[in-house]
Amino acid sequence: MNPGLLKLAVVGSRSAYGRLAGIAGGVAVGVCLLLLLWGGANGLSARDDRGAWLRETGSPSVAAPRTDDPTSSGPATPVPLTEDTALMEANPVEVFRDQLINRRDVAALASTTVKIPGIGTPPEPGLYFASPALQRLIESTPGDELGNRFGTFAGTIDDAALPGPDSLVVVTGATETELRQNGRAFLVSDFTTNPYGGSAPAYRTVLSVGAIALFFPVLLLISIVTSLGAAQRRERFATLRLIGASPQIVSRIAAVETAIPSLVGAALGVALAIILRPVAAQIPVNGTRLFAADMTIGWAATTAVVAVMVAATALVAARRTAAAGVGPLGATRAVHEKTPTAWRSVPLLAGLATMITPVLMVRVLEVRLPWLESPLLILGFLLILVGLVVIGPWLTHLVSRVGLRHANSAAGVIAASRIHKTPMATFRSVSGLVIAVFVVSVFAGASSVFEATEAPPAQPGMLQPTSLYATLGAGAAPAQAAEAARQARELPGIPSATIGYGPAVLSDKDAGPEIYLRATDAPRLGFEDVPATATVAVDTSFLGSMQPLALTAAPAANLDDLVPVVIVLGTDGTPEAMDRARTALNVSGITAIPATSPLDLRLQSTGRLIQGLAVFAYLGMFVAIAIAGLSLAVATASAILDRKRILGLMRLMGMPVSVLRRIITREAAVPLLTVVLLSVGLGFLVAWLMVTFIDDTYQVTWPATDYFAALGLSLLLALGAVITPFTLVRAKTAVTATRFE
Amino acid sequence: MNTNENAAPILRARSLRHSFGQTDALRGIDLDVQAGEVLAVMGPSGSGKSTLLHCLAGVLVPDQGSVDYSPAGRAGTAISTLAEPRRARLRLTDFGFVFQFGQLLPELSAADNVSIPLLLSGTRRQDALRRSTEMLERLGLDGLGAKLPGELSGGQAQRVAVARAMVTSPAVLFADEPTGSLDSLASENVLTLMLELVREAGTTVVMITHDARTAAYADREVIVRDGVIAAGYRVSA
């Protein structure tokens, strides 16, 4: 191609340079986001790999009697500890403040060959290894609130075995007897490297869907940015056609003139991504930041992103120019869009059918075809995304037809007419935001599973949320329990320590159905209606009940004949007192389970998969909404620039600028509001399908207020994105900016 | 011709000067336009005729000098001292505009294009469409109200533009090369219809043209050269 011809087509005016700068800027933002998203996915994957060993569940530490052998009967027998095994117990509720600490208690023979990731040889009883973040926490907190729970510090766990720099992990040494006491320990010989276990396909599906959900708005942004100033460009190309350039040459010029700013933008995007990577790594996901090094994607992948981006933008520009049919007298197909028809609903319906199929297979027909399920879900999700963009113009066209019939103002008639005649062009402006609302709704719907689990309220007849309890082990003597209660009461912020009694400890087969209390202790547990007897009773389910229970009179019960089965510490509700109470119970040596608070339910009641999803949700919302807002601003600016002559003429004839603003606002609002409800509905449907596919016991509920805040933010952003280019309306349509002859 | 040379002119420009950067477009123009008069402004490219039209219509504010607008029965207005919103209002209510090309909104039907100034003035859409259709019929465009500009010939599109300019019954019609993009037959047709309409309504016309045949339709002709009026004379007795 003649460079002179290219120069003629590309440069020559401030607006041409502005358009090229706009393309470069948009591509820079797109490439930067893509690289950060890719890096983020790498970082999350690396994080899950690092923490995979924490999922190790080992094998049972006791052998059940064989049911097929009549000579083998009686109680389960312990499986002996060997050199190549270690006993390990995961503490499910090691909580500090509102953070869950990943705790592993380990017992091994002195000659053990078992190596614990990040540590090596298991710690001896009384010693512990902690992650650097946890050790910092221990050192900065009074020992009776945290450090006393673990023993003596022996060293830090290596980063290679930690999900992230903020991970709270501790491995404490214990004796074999201690761990065998409550039967929850298991035997391990080596550690899994599979971070997701049986839910790996589901987790990968969720990650793939999330990646597509965020990648799609980036593509829309780039697509919108490359069409910036298309009308002005068509005028220049028409001039070239007039002087003899063939359509092929014009298409090639369009490709090259887009590729050059794209390349510059992509290079800027790479630089931006490198600069922002350490900042992005600071975003906490599921409780910890990422290691910045995990977010690198390598030069080969970076080069591939740049090459694909530049090639794609060039190709799109060439195809658009060819499709516009630029002739010597201007574009012939620019204004007349083909009227959209009901056929545009096909991709969306196909996507829904494709997503519903695996859910029906798994949950209704109970047919498992793992090789087909995830691909169908991902394909369905992709089709729904594409389907929303495809169906948008049709719905917009239908609504605008009604709007045109009822329009009664100049702004209404002009906006409705443009939308009616060019539904694709007008919908393209808001397509990013429509997709963002859909993505946000999917994330919000999925994360509502997590948010639905709330702490129980404080009310009479229920264990108070500010209290902690621990059931007692078989060897706990009444005097030991009384002493533990006395010591706890002496701690600041712990006004009460109540002991509950029963015929046998709760883990024993002879345990009774009720817990007996002194009537004078009952008010400390939150009971208001206390029977007028010295001893009262409550059902054992009181400890974990979400419903209020009533006390019953137990005049015949003699606490001296019973054994202590539970100890409940009441606190003043401050985090310090709660952690002090937790530590006091855990180090008392008489408890059968770790101290538990009703508030712990929030931290441990749902799987980490869904917890992770909830955090992704807010990241996804932020990225999708930000991109969409940017896209809408660019598209609005582009719509103004493309019509600056005709809008300027309207101003010259006496149309106030305010009417022009109303036209621009309506052109964005009508397609957006037309499809946004569909986006919200589809988003929650897709969330329900995905969650049901993973586990049909999860419930998608009404989303948290954060969702409505995100939705409101989207609409505010849309308003801002439309208002921001308003300055262009005044400047670009001023009579001094355009000649009318 | 309905002019009354003894009456105060409807438009009076005095000592108009206007520059674009280093280029002096107008260098001291005095011009009176009588009510009901059809005035042709001629001159070579770059002579300043469009700038003169824009200053007279309140589109541009001259760097120096004044433009006074004095419609019959109303107090005069110094256009050049008004703020843009008031000038815009004046352009909408009192003036009409016809340009060479590209003046119709491509997505609006011919009838809707014509109705826009009425809607902007607060007329109900049904009434606006009725008046638009009547105006289109007067310009020989019966049955074409539903057509888009892209579906009309150049002459038809230009008549739609004239209909839009005249639908509000403006006191002054500003036309900048109104037939510049048309062949001679279409040009003659548009001009004849336009002038029939304006003479019937008593509308004053300021028309810029390169074409002597177009200028021949005017009552008076002035020639602008290098930002000043080089000559002025009456076309018809």
Side-chain angles (χ1 to χ4, degrees):
Chain A
M1 191 191 308
N2 186 334
L5 195 62
L6 179 64
K7 196 176 170 188
L8 179 72
V10 174
V11 299
S13 71
R14 273 178 62 190
S15 66
Y17 288 125
R19 180 169 53 79
L20 298 182
I23 292 173
V27 172
V29 172
V31 166
C32 172
L33 280 170
L34 269 183
L35 293 177
L36 288 178
L37 285 175
W38 192 338
N42 273 359
L44 289 171
S45 176
R47 190 181 75 164
D48 289 334
D49 288 344
R50 287 165 184 274
W53 70 276
L54 291 164
R55 288 197 72 259
E56 183 55 56
T57 52
S59 57
S61 59
V62 289
R66 286 173 58 188
T67 52
D68 59 341
D69 181 0
T71 62
S72 171
S73 61
T77 52
V79 179
L81 202 54
T82 57
E83 278 189 353
D84 62 349
T85 59
L87 262 178
M88 191 157 92
E89 179 182 327
N91 184 330
V93 281
E94 192 61 79
V95 174
F96 176 73
R97 303 293 192 259
D98 58 350
Q99 300 172 83
L100 207 56
I101 298 168
N102 228 321
R103 176 171 177 166
R104 298 291 180 276
D105 297 335
V106 184
L109 298 176
S111 55
T112 187
T113 57
V114 174
K115 298 291 180 200
I116 296 180
I119 294 174
T121 307
E124 290 177 12
L127 301 181
Y128 76 90
F129 283 81
S131 62
L134 178 58
Q135 187 54 28
R136 282 195 296 277
L137 211 53
I138 290 170
E139 287 167 3
S140 61
T141 309
D144 65 349
E145 290 179 29
L146 180 63
N148 294 355
R149 302 180 202 177
F150 309 122
T152 307
F153 177 60
T156 51
I157 302 171
D158 193 76
D159 281 352
L162 295 174
D166 301 321
S167 298
L168 302 179
V169 183
V170 63
V171 177
T172 60
T175 63
E176 183 179 354
T177 317
E178 284 170 341
L179 292 190
R180 286 202 189 272
Q181 215 168 29
N182 53 34
R184 290 203 316 266
F186 46 88
L187 285 168
V188 293
S189 49
D190 55 11
F191 291 85
T192 180
T193 52
N194 177 357
Y196 316 117
S199 61
Y203 197 60
R204 280 197 202 101
T205 303
V206 169
L207 274 182
S208 305
V209 164
I212 292 168
L214 295 179
F215 184 69
F216 207 77
V218 173
L219 285 188
L220 278 177
L221 168 70
I222 290 168
S223 159
I224 288 169
V225 160
T226 49
S227 65
L228 196 63
Q232 290 165 286
R233 201 163 23 168
R234 281 196 292 270
E235 281 179 22
R236 298 174 80 86
F237 290 156
T239 309
L240 289 178
R241 291 277 287 118
L242 192 63
I243 59 174
S246 68
Q248 288 76 21
I249 287 179
V250 168
S251 287
R252 261 181 270 161
I253 290 173
V256 175
E257 71 141 23
T258 305
I260 293 168
S262 287
L263 184 62
V264 174
L268 275 174
V270 171
L272 265 179
I274 292 170
I275 293 167
L276 292 178
R277 189 177 293 142
V279 181
Q282 298 301 311
I283 299 171
V285 179
N286 208 7
T288 174
R289 294 166 295 163
L290 295 174
F291 289 112
D294 286 348
M295 290 184 68
T296 51
I297 67 164
W299 284 108
T302 305
T303 309
V305 167
V306 171
V308 168
M309 197 57 67
V310 173
T313 52
L315 198 66
V316 167
R319 281 188 57 83
R320 274 208 192 120
T321 306
V326 178
L329 299 176
T332 55
R333 292 189 286 265
V335 173
H336 302 291
E337 284 182 6
K338 206 172 152 190
T339 304
T341 62
W343 283 103
R344 286 184 161 262
S345 60
V346 170
L348 185 63
L349 294 175
L352 276 174
T354 312
M355 269 202 107
I356 289 169
T357 303
V359 180
L360 278 179
M361 277 165 55
V362 173
R363 300 294 163 210
V364 180
L365 305 173
E366 296 184 353
V367 176
R368 293 307 310 243
L369 297 170
W371 56 272
L372 185 64
E373 292 158 6
S374 290
L376 277 180
L377 271 182
I378 294 169
L379 177 68
F381 185 76
L382 197 59
L383 275 173
I384 289 174
L385 275 175
V386 173
L388 267 173
V389 175
V390 173
I391 201 173
W394 179 54
L395 295 177
T396 305
H397 179 75
L398 294 181
V399 170
S400 69
R401 194 190 312 173
V402 178
L404 187 57
R405 207 173 296 147
H406 293 96
N408 210 19
S409 65
V413 170
I414 293 172
S417 296
R418 177 161 186 261
I419 296 167
H420 188 248
K421 297 296 176 200
T422 58
M424 281 180 257
T426 45
F427 181 76
R428 192 182 302 131
S429 306
V430 297
S431 55
L433 209 60
V434 165
I435 292 297
V437 168
F438 170 71
V439 169
V440 166
S441 301
V442 172
F443 282 135
S447 61
S448 71
V449 174
F450 174 63
E451 286 152 357
T453 312
E454 289 176 355
Q459 57 176 302
M462 285 176 65
L463 196 60
Q464 298 305 287
T466 53
S467 60
L468 284 117
Y469 74 90
T471 58
L472 302 183
Q480 282 178 296
E483 176 58 16
R486 188 193 63 77
Q487 286 182 6
R489 272 195 298 268
E490 286 180 357
L491 294 170
I494 304 178
S496 71
T498 307
I499 298 171
Y501 297 85
V505 292
L506 296 180
S507 57
D508 195 292
K509 61 181 172 39
D510 296 326
E514 292 179 315
I515 297 170
Y516 297 92
L517 307 163
R518 286 188 182 86
T520 50
D521 288 341
R524 294 181 199 145
L525 296 186
F527 290 107
E528 286 180 353
D529 297 325
V530 183
T533 51
T535 307
V536 292
V538 65
D539 195 90
T540 51
S541 62
F542 167 70
L543 295 174
S545 176
M546 300 288 281
Q547 298 295 325
L549 295 178
L551 286 174
T552 55
N558 181 357
L559 298 185
D560 293 336
D561 297 336
L562 301 172
V563 298
V565 296
V566 64
I567 184 166
V568 182
L569 302 185
T571 75
D572 60 9
T574 59
E576 294 80 7
M578 297 273 293
D579 283 317
R580 220 174 275 129
R582 201 184 293 274
T583 308
L585 286 175
N586 287 1
V587 300
S588 66
I590 58 169
T591 56
I593 61 162
T596 306
S597 159
L599 294 174
D600 295 347
L601 203 63
R602 285 178 310 168
L603 300 172
Q604 54 171 354
S605 59
T606 45
R608 59 188 290 275
L609 170 66
I610 301 300
Q611 284 187 29
L613 205 62
V615 183
F616 279 130
Y618 296 106
L619 270 182
M621 286 179 193
F622 174 75
V623 173
I625 291 174
I627 295 171
L630 191 60
S631 301
L632 182 54
V634 170
T636 308
S638 190
I640 295 168
L641 291 175
D642 285 354
R643 290 181 295 163
K644 70 174 190 175
R645 188 173 195 283
I646 198 79
L647 294 179
L649 180 78
M650 303 312 295
R651 269 191 75 185
L652 185 145
M653 290 193 323
M655 184 182 277
V657 181
S658 59
V659 174
L660 295 183
R661 287 181 187 143
R662 281 202 286 276
I663 294 171
I664 302 285
T665 306
R666 278 166 197 249
E667 286 175 1
V670 170
L672 181 63
L673 296 179
T674 301
V675 189
V676 87
L677 279 180
L678 179 70
S679 289
V680 169
L682 275 174
F684 280 93
L685 177 61
V686 166
W688 178 78
L689 287 171
M690 281 168 56
V691 166
T692 306
F693 171 74
I694 293 168
D695 187 333
D696 62 356
T697 62
Y698 289 144
Q699 298 277 313
V700 173
T701 61
W702 201 239
T705 48
D706 296 355
Y707 167 72
F708 295 101
L711 206 58
L713 181 70
S714 303
L715 296 177
L716 272 180
L717 203 73
L719 191 67
V722 173
I723 287 173
T724 308
F726 271 179
T727 49
L728 279 177
V729 176
R730 187 179 286 276
K732 292 292 175 185
T733 61
V735 283
T736 45
T738 318
R739 276 181 73 83
F740 302 98
E741 330 188 301
Chain B
M1 179 180 148
N2 304 320
T3 59
N4 179 355
E5 290 181 27
N6 297 322
I10 191 166
L11 285 169
R12 167 176 288 183
R14 287 291 176 268
S15 310
L16 287 188
R17 288 181 171 273
H18 196 77
S19 305
F20 296 103
Q22 302 293 317
T23 309
D24 293 329
L26 301 180
R27 299 191 298 142
I29 283 187
D30 293 331
L31 180 67
D32 287 348
V33 183
Q34 301 300 324
E37 176 183 28
V38 176
L39 173 73
V41 180
M42 293 190 73
S45 290
S47 59
K49 11 183 235 304
S50 290
T51 307
L52 173 62
L53 182 142
H54 289 159
C55 286
L56 290 174
V59 173
L60 287 176
V61 176
D63 296 339
Q64 284 177 34
S66 63
V67 177
D68 295 315
Y69 168 60
S70 308
R74 274 164 52 191
T77 307
I79 297 178
S80 47
T81 62
L82 297 178
E84 167 56 19
R86 287 196 60 195
R87 282 187 280 124
R89 187 73 200 160
L90 189 69
R91 294 198 297 269
L92 183 64
T93 54
D94 286 43
F95 300 162
F97 295 87
V98 179
F99 296 97
Q100 187 174 351
F101 55 77
Q103 51 194 321
L104 299 178
L105 286 163
E107 304 93 358
L108 263 63
S109 67
D112 275 333
N113 261 296
V114 176
S115 71
I116 290 296
L118 293 171
L119 292 174
L120 285 170
S121 304
T123 309
R124 286 182 59 243
R125 189 165 178 225
Q126 266 188 332
D127 294 338
L129 280 174
R130 184 180 46 76
R131 284 171 62 184
S132 305
T133 308
E134 284 169 11
M135 187 57 74
L136 286 171
E137 283 170 3
R138 291 185 66 186
L139 283 157
L141 296 167
D142 316 43
L144 296 179
K147 296 276 186 192
L148 292 174
E151 297 165 340
L152 300 172
S153 70
Q156 287 170 332
Q158 206 60 3
R159 276 185 279 161
V160 173
V162 172
R164 184 177 62 185
M166 291 300 295
V167 76
T168 52
S169 307
V172 184
L173 176 68
F174 293 96
D176 196 343
E177 301 282 6
T179 56
S181 60
L182 304 178
D183 60 55
S184 56
L185 194 63
S187 175
E188 195 179 316
N189 184 254
V190 168
L191 278 172
T192 307
L193 283 167
M194 184 177 92
L195 291 174
E196 259 179 39
L197 214 56
V198 297
R199 291 198 194 284
E200 196 180 306
T203 306
T204 307
V205 178
V206 178
M207 178 170 64
I208 287 176
T209 181
H210 276 103
D211 182 11
R213 279 177 301 176
T214 302
Y217 284 84
D219 301 322
R220 186 161 65 101
E221 188 179 311
V222 291
I223 296 172
V224 178
R225 188 168 290 131
D226 297 329
V228 292
I229 292 185
Y233 47 87
R234 193 153 299 286
V235 177
S236 52

